[in-house]
């Protein structure tokens, strides 16, 4: 059984931050029920759906990835009868998660203050751009906004160049990760209190948290950290260097590693006694990096990886997707998995990074068809009869 197999989640999320959080919990065995509007379903069903490279039978990569291990129930929450049906499901659930804009859950009648009257043990989670309190909770937000306003973009990119966002959507993904942490924390506290609570996740808060020690440095000194590209603000050389084939990472963190590198390269300039200490190396970092680059570009990446390994100098290749997703270590840890589809085929996706020694990995189930599990869930959870289901279906409450 999965570690979260006793947890039932009603998933009202869309796009990325919310679906990513519920996907992580579904991967760990949670019974995750997507509540989708009839007819059109959740918005990510349509993303990339018409792209022949990134879709299968009209379902795009977003939905294929973020909806595995979930079930789909179509209920029209804008109709009173549909909302009443949702409240009945809340009585059977543990968690309700959404990433609507601030204030929307209350307007829809699905916020914690409303749902706790139907189930005092319910845990709700809202992921928004800026949280649900403070002077401006209703500012519009998406991944790039979170990255930009969270401070991280100001130190990303090369010195003197325009700010650069991270290649992966860390604004959205960070919100999803912290939402999962918050939900699991609330579930744990419920063991002692017997009561639920609301988890308020701000994407901007998450970005501020991930500034970590660099924020502390600024708060101590008032000095804005510079953008240093792939370099380091202390260690030299530290960064990426171009070989004859692909880029290589070198990380000489300290005097000992620098001296090893200088002797390995057999470069009298780099072995100069003046470069023995870090402050001098930092002052002459451009010269040192240029000298190292002149050596590195003469051989291919694999040559240098072997040499650096022999001299026990920290190094690694810069992998593109082809290298990263075929790395033997990645494959051995089941980080590329075959996800079955309802048409009998399968699609490869990133696996679950959480490895638990005492919990058996749950079998992967396909991303659901729109409303595929409506009757199954409503009959098993709410004991609705076939005639009741037919009446709801005919009135457009469910699909």
């Amino acid at each position: 059984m999965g570690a979260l197999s006793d947890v039932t989640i009603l998933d009202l999320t869309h796009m990325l931050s919310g679906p990513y959080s519920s996907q992580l919990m579904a991967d760990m065995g949670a019974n995750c029920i997507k509540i989708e509007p009839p007819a059109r379903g959740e918005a990510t069903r349509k993303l990339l759906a018409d792209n022949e490279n990134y879709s299968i039978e009209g379902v795009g990569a977003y939905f294929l990835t973020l909806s595995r291990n979930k079930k789909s129930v179509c209920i029209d929450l804008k109709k009173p009868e549909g909302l009443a049906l949702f409240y009945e499901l809340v009585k059977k659930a543990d968690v309700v998660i959404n990433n609507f804009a601030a204030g929307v859950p209350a307007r829809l009648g699905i916020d914690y203050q409303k749902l706790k009257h139907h189930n005092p043990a319910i845990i709700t989670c809202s992921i928004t751009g800026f949280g649900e309190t403070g002077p401006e909770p209703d500012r519009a937000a998406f991944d790039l906004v979170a990255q930009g306003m969270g401070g991280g973009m100001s130190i990303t990119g090369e010195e003197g160049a325009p700010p650069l966002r991270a290649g992966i959507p860390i604004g959205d993904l960070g919100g999803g990760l912290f939402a999962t942490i918050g939900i699991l924390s609330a579930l744990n506290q419920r063991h002692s209190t017997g009561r639920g609570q609301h988890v308020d996740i701000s994407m901007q808060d998450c970005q501020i948290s991930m500034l970590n020690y660099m924020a502390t440095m600024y708060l101590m000194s008032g000095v804005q950290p510079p953008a240093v590209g792939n370099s380091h603000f202390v260690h030299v050389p530290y960064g990426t260097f171009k070989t004859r084939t692909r880029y290589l990472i070198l990380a000489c963190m300290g005097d000992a590693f620098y001296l090893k590198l200088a002797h390995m390269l057999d470069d009298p300039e780099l072995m100069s006694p003046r470069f023995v200490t870090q402050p001098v190396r930092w002052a002459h970092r451009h010269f040192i990096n240029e000298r190292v680059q002149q050596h590195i570009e003469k051989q291919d990446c694999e040559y240098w990886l072997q040499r650096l390994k022999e001299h026990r100098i920290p190094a690694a290749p810069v992998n593109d997707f082809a290298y990263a997703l075929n790395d033997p270590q990645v494959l051995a840890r089941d980080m590329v998995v075959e996800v079955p589809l309802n048409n009998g085929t399968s699609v490869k996706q990133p696996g679950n990074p959480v490895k638990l020694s005492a919990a058996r990995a749950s079998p992967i189930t396909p991303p659901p068809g729109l409303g595929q599990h409506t009757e199954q869930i409503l009959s098993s959870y709410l004991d609705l009869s076939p005639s009741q289901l037919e009446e709801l279906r005919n009135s457009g409450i469910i699909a």
Side-chain angles (χ1 to χ4, degrees):
M1 294 179 64
L4 298 179
S5 59
D6 60 341
V7 174
T8 295
I9 299 170
L10 300 182
D11 181 359
L12 295 166
T13 64
H14 62 288
M15 297 306 289
L16 185 52
S17 61
Y20 183 57
S21 175
S22 54
Q23 179 226 307
L24 292 173
M25 292 182 284
D27 280 357
M28 290 185 282
N31 184 28
C32 186
I33 303 169
K34 287 182 66 66
I35 305 297
E36 302 188 70
R40 71 181 188 278
E42 189 244 303
T44 52
R45 282 186 178 272
K46 301 298 182 184
L47 283 179
L48 302 175
D50 297 326
N51 188 307
E52 63 180 17
N53 292 321
Y54 305 130
S55 67
I56 298 175
E57 295 190 345
V59 182
Y62 271 79
F63 191 83
L64 289 172
T65 305
L66 295 164
S67 296
R68 70 188 187 209
N69 295 324
K70 299 180 182 181
K71 298 180 175 67
S72 172
V73 171
C74 281
I75 302 177
D76 190 345
L77 298 182
K78 293 183 179 179
K79 295 182 177 180
E81 300 91 340
L83 196 56
L85 204 59
F86 177 74
Y87 291 152
E88 291 302 308
L89 285 174
V90 168
K91 295 176 183 179
K92 307 287 185 176
D94 299 287
V95 177
V96 176
I97 179 172
N98 77 83
N99 59 322
F100 296 127
V104 171
R107 290 199 295 274
L108 293 176
I110 56 172
D111 60 313
Y112 176 69
Q113 294 304 319
K114 182 72 173 181
L115 298 187
K116 70 178 182 180
H117 295 297
H118 297 279
N119 180 358
I122 197 69
I123 291 163
T124 61
C125 176
S126 290
I127 307 170
T128 60
F130 300 95
E132 298 174 286
T133 59
E136 297 183 277
D138 56 352
R139 289 186 294 187
F142 44 89
D143 175 76
L144 186 59
V145 170
Q147 290 197 41
M149 296 193 69
M153 277 182 65
S154 72
I155 57 171
T156 303
E158 297 294 336
E159 184 178 0
L164 197 65
R165 72 171 180 87
I168 60 174
I170 60 170
D172 279 329
L173 297 178
L177 285 168
F178 280 97
T180 303
I181 294 170
I183 290 168
L184 297 180
S185 299
L187 284 168
N188 183 68
Q189 188 174 31
R190 194 176 67 175
H191 289 308
S192 58
T193 66
R195 302 190 67 81
Q197 61 181 295
H198 180 58
V199 180
D200 173 8
I201 298 294
S202 154
M203 290 164 62
Q204 185 182 40
D205 289 355
C206 299
Q207 296 302 296
I208 295 293
S209 173
M210 289 190 287
L211 295 179
N212 204 266
Y213 69 90
M214 299 190 78
T216 304
M217 291 166 55
Y218 170 78
L219 293 169
M220 292 171 67
S221 67
V223 177
Q224 163 69 25
V228 293
N230 294 326
S231 301
H232 197 278
F233 61 91
V234 173
H235 304 298
V236 180
Y238 183 109
T240 53
F241 297 86
K242 185 173 175 54
T243 73
R244 283 198 312 198
T245 49
R246 52 188 175 136
Y247 279 89
L248 174 79
I249 294 167
L250 271 177
C252 291
M253 302 177 69
D255 300 338
F257 285 125
Y258 174 79
L259 292 174
K260 284 184 178 183
L261 177 66
H263 283 88
M264 185 196 81
L265 297 175
D266 194 24
D267 186 323
E269 292 284 350
L270 296 177
M271 288 187 286
S272 171
R274 64 183 177 144
F275 294 144
V276 168
T277 59
Q278 180 275 336
V280 178
R281 289 199 300 277
W282 175 251
H284 294 84
R285 61 190 180 278
H286 298 301
F287 170 80
I288 291 173
N289 286 335
E290 186 176 338
R291 293 287 295 190
V292 171
Q293 177 59 56
Q294 290 172 2
H295 289 281
I296 295 297
E297 65 192 24
K298 294 176 182 178
Q299 300 288 345
D300 63 27
C301 185
E302 282 62 35
Y303 169 85
W304 287 117
L305 288 173
Q306 183 59 38
R307 292 288 311 278
L308 292 160
K309 182 179 180 181
E310 291 168 356
H311 288 79
R312 301 181 66 81
I313 299 169
V318 176
N319 285 337
D320 61 14
F321 280 34
Y323 276 102
L325 296 174
N326 287 283
D327 185 292
Q329 182 71 8
V330 169
L331 298 177
R333 289 183 59 79
D334 296 324
M335 283 311 300
V336 175
V337 295
E338 290 275 357
V339 177
L341 301 179
N342 287 320
N343 65 2
T345 64
S346 65
V347 61
K348 290 184 178 181
Q349 297 179 6
N352 179 8
V354 180
K355 317 295 185 187
L356 300 175
S357 65
R360 189 175 63 202
S362 301
I364 302 175
T365 59
L370 180 59
Q372 178 180 342
H373 304 93
T374 302
E375 294 189 6
Q376 173 194 333
I377 295 296
L378 296 183
S379 60
S380 61
Y381 277 69
L382 306 183
D383 295 323
L384 296 185
S385 67
S387 60
Q388 289 174 306
L389 291 170
E390 183 177 4
E391 182 179 345
L392 288 168
R393 189 166 52 250
N394 291 339
S395 61
I397 306 303
I398 66 172

